[in-house]
Amino acid sequence: MPVAVDQAVPDFTAAATGGPFTLSAQRGHAIVLYFYPKDSTPGCTTEAMGFRDAHDQFVAAGAEIIGLSRDSIKSHENFKSKLGLPFTLVSDTDEAVCALFGVIKMKKMYGKEVRGIERSTFLIDADGVLRREWRGIKVAGHIDEVLASVQSL
């Protein structure tokens, strides 16, 4: 059963840039957890740069940004370095966290159906409760909408 708004998010630990990421260790500040399909692809690069450029505003509002895809740590480290990302990227190669949030979907790609991550963002408050979710999002305007929600917590 995927996570639900106004419910506590079950704890998880996953490999990440800078060492393992554990959700419960983040208590005390909000988490913007965004799922994206693949490192170094056009939409994912645009989204990561948007979160990068607004990072200081998110931190000032009391939130940390965490990106997550199925890519390896090596891929994440290259992506993070290339774009100068100031936040952690989580590697979910076994799709355990993706399953928890229900973001794996069948998608059309070049006329074929493929399993992939549906671009989604989740706002978890300082107590570990899911407060907002955005599923199947378009990158344009999304970061501003998420920031406004963080600021209203």
Side-chain angles (χ1 to χ4, degrees), residues 1 17 25-27 39 41 69 87 95 101 112 128 135-136:
M1 175 108 178
T17 55
Q26 309 305 311
R27 294 273 155 59
D39 289 342
T41 56
S69 79
F87 48 83
E95 299 180 2
F101 285 84
K112 293 184 179 180
R135 294 179 180 269

Side-chain angles (χ1 to χ4, degrees), residues 94-108:
D94 66 359
E95 299 180 2
V97 182
C98 289
L100 178 64
F101 285 84
V103 298
I104 297 291
K105 304 287 181 198
M106 292 306 291
K107 299 161 38 168
K108 290 262 190 221

Side-chain angles (χ1 to χ4, degrees), residues 7 44 73 88 96 98:
Q7 299 290 317
C44 299
I73 291 296
T88 297
C98 289

Side-chain angles (χ1 to χ4, degrees), residues 21 26 31-34 64-68 87-90:
F21 173 86
Q26 309 305 311
I31 296 292
V32 172
L33 179 61
Y34 82 95
E64 286 295 324
I65 299 166
I66 306 295
L68 186 146
F87 48 83
T88 297
L89 297 178
V90 173

Side-chain angles (χ1 to χ4, degrees), residues 20-96:
F21 173 86
T22 300
L23 183 62
S24 61
Q26 309 305 311
R27 294 273 155 59
H29 55 263
I31 296 292
V32 172
L33 179 61
Y34 82 95
F35 290 79
Y36 63 97
K38 189 150 184 59
D39 289 342
S40 300
T41 56
C44 299
T45 297
T46 300
E47 184 177 28
M49 290 188 311
F51 277 120
R52 175 198 67 197
D53 295 348
H55 184 258
D56 290 345
Q57 293 170 275
F58 279 96
V59 171
E64 286 295 324
I65 299 166
I66 306 295
L68 186 146
S69 79
R70 300 180 300 175
D71 293 299
S72 68
I73 291 296
K74 183 172 176 29
S75 176
H76 278 346
E77 287 171 347
N78 291 339
F79 188 51
K80 185 174 175 164
S81 175
K82 184 169 83 174
L83 297 180
L85 302 179
F87 48 83
T88 297
L89 297 178
V90 173
S91 174
D92 190 29
T93 56
D94 66 359
E95 299 180 2

